Amino acid sequence: MYLFLSMLAGADIVLSTCTVPQDLAIFWFHAQEISLDRCIAQLFFIHCTYISESGILLVMAFDRYIAICYPLRYTTILTHVLIGKIGLTIFLRSYCTVFPMIFLLKRLTFCKTNILQHTGCEHMGLAKYSCDDIRINIWYGFFVLMSTVILDVILICVSYMLILHAVFHIPNQQARHKALNTCGSHVCVIILFYGPGIFSALTHRFGHLISPHINVLLASVCILIPPMLNPIIYGIKTKQIRDQITYVLLSKTI
């Protein structure tokens, strides 16, 4: 579990590093210009990290399923070698699916407005300013979304259905409560990660009914809130992390 938490923390750090400096430069120093190459580089890292974090949340759901349904075989199933392979697969999946976007964007000619609506760059948000045919970009973006994030959400739901089925067959109520409590942090992180993204997608679909400022705010929330709150959630819910934080803080005050 702690290896997966380390992966999640690493993804949060990369996602924050890709976006927060740019946001602060815009609001503090009014640095409102960005080159096309920098914009493409930023969206590459944002999309890569977002897909990686989605994959990590899926693997953590699998981790909870093994811990609850096969507790005696947990360490024999999730070995360090398997976890390393899983981490490599998550990275390669995100890299291989996002990398073609660079060439799909570089082939376009941008002749419309050069004012981006959001503080960060994203694939379709940039492609729509092109005067060329962007149907390939639209369909490829849809393919990436369906084969990564949407697939992850479906598999996470399946894993939790299996977890709930196993938990409610536990005769001891205290053991049942303890099993459900181990999933609390993960469920909170899932809601924080996917919730704003789904709501943002709905606002884009019905954008004529909502102020553009709300769309910009939601897009920023999708990227900034999960990295900020994930450590707090796991720090509060995980006893070992909570004890270590308390030990570090008390040792500094003594």
Side-chain angles (χ1 to χ4, degrees), residues 22-240:
Q22 178 71 29
D23 294 349
L24 293 178
I26 292 172
F27 292 116
W28 286 358
F29 308 111
H30 303 287
Q32 299 175 344
E33 294 183 359
I34 185 171
S35 66
L36 178 62
D37 290 336
R38 279 181 58 201
C39 191
I40 292 175
Q42 186 188 49
L43 72 86
F44 172 78
F45 285 107
I46 289 175
H47 288 324
C48 259
T49 310
Y50 195 87
I51 292 173
S52 295
E53 188 155 344
S54 179
I56 293 167
L57 291 177
L58 170 61
V59 174
M60 292 175 76
F62 173 70
D63 168 75
R64 292 298 85 204
Y65 170 73
I66 298 296
I68 291 172
C69 298
Y70 304 99
L72 298 179
R73 298 173 57 193
Y74 180 81
T75 55
T76 57
I77 295 175
L78 288 176
T79 62
H80 286 188
V81 175
L82 179 60
I83 293 172
K85 291 179 180 178
I86 290 173
L88 181 62
T89 302
I90 291 171
F91 170 76
L92 290 176
R93 184 188 71 156
S94 61
Y95 179 84
C96 292
T97 52
V98 176
F99 189 71
M101 290 182 184
I102 297 175
F103 301 100
L104 291 175
L105 289 170
K106 293 289 283 185
R107 71 182 180 87
L108 299 176
T109 301
F110 297 93
C111 56
K112 296 182 181 179
T113 178
N114 60 352
I115 300 176
L116 299 175
Q117 292 183 350
H118 302 294
T119 56
C121 299
E122 54 99 10
H123 176 222
M124 289 311 303
L126 184 60
K128 70 180 181 181
Y129 295 117
S130 170
C131 297
D132 300 325
D133 186 3
I134 62 170
R135 280 180 293 181
I136 297 177
N137 297 72
I138 293 172
W139 282 109
Y140 186 74
F142 180 74
F143 163 75
V144 171
L145 180 66
M146 294 300 295
S147 62
T148 55
V149 177
I150 301 299
L151 179 62
D152 292 345
V153 171
I154 294 172
L155 293 176
I156 288 172
C157 291
V158 170
S159 68
Y160 269 98
M161 288 173 61
L162 295 173
I163 288 172
L164 290 175
H165 180 267
V167 167
F168 287 117
H169 279 77
I170 298 174
N172 189 310
Q173 185 175 358
Q174 186 176 359
R176 190 187 309 153
H177 181 267
K178 183 178 180 181
L180 289 174
N181 193 49
T182 61
C183 301
S185 302
H186 187 239
V187 172
C188 291
V189 170
I190 287 173
I191 293 172
L192 276 175
F193 184 77
Y194 292 112
I198 294 171
F199 195 70
S200 179
L202 291 175
T203 59
H204 279 291
R205 174 64 181 84
F206 305 101
H208 59 285
L209 303 175
I210 299 173
S211 169
H213 301 292
I214 301 298
N215 289 329
V216 174
L217 178 63
L218 285 172
S220 300
V221 165
C222 290
I223 296 175
L224 298 177
I225 295 299
M228 181 183 74
L229 294 183
N230 286 351
I232 298 175
I233 292 171
Y234 273 104
I236 292 173
K237 294 289 290 182
T238 307
K239 183 178 183 300
Q240 292 85 344

